[in-house]
Amino acid sequence: MLYKFKSKAGGDVIMLGADGDRLMHIIGREPAAQGILLVADMPAALRALEAAVLADERAPEPSTAGDTEAGDEARVAERAGFRVALRQRAWPLMDLIRRALSAEHDVLWGV
């Protein structure tokens, strides 16, 4: 599933399903094909995303000791330096939420 976040306050943000699901959980929402983030809920959503980004940045680097299975693509990618931080995944949505909050427009997805 793809997420396409929309608001009159900014451009669309398109996100792959796994990343969108993760961000939905962070802001306290169940992943869904359609939804709305009301202006009133945006400050809490932004605080949750900012806290998750800080926690992700403070987390210790994953250990690669004993990591011998060639099929574990995520660990192989991290060892090769291809880890995409939560900040990078969340920034476009956080920016859209900030713009929408400032302009007092809701953020919709799946419509």
Side-chain angles (χ1 to χ4, degrees):
M1 173 172 73
L2 285 176
Y3 284 90
K4 186 174 184 179
F5 298 98
K6 303 175 183 183
S7 177
K8 292 179 182 179
D12 295 351
V13 173
I14 299 173
M15 195 172 291
L16 293 175
D19 297 321
D21 290 349
R22 182 178 181 194
L23 296 180
M24 288 290 104
H25 285 295
I26 290 170
I27 65 171
R29 299 288 180 101
E30 286 298 316
Q34 294 182 344
I36 184 169
L37 183 61
L38 299 172
V39 173
D41 299 329
M42 290 179 193
L46 280 172
R47 284 191 302 273
L49 288 167
E50 289 165 354
V53 165
L54 287 175
D56 181 65
E57 289 173 346
R58 291 182 181 148
E61 290 296 317
S63 171
T64 57
D67 206 12
T68 58
E69 293 185 34
D72 191 346
E73 295 176 17
R75 289 189 181 145
V76 171
E78 284 183 22
R79 274 199 310 267
F82 298 124
R83 181 178 179 274
V84 178
L86 179 60
R87 177 177 297 280
Q88 293 166 296
R89 298 281 189 212
W91 183 86
L93 180 58
M94 291 171 71
D95 185 58
L96 180 62
I97 292 171
R98 284 185 188 109
R99 290 172 186 259
L101 181 59
S102 176
E104 298 185 3
H105 291 290
D106 298 332
V107 174
L108 311 168
W109 63 92
V111 290

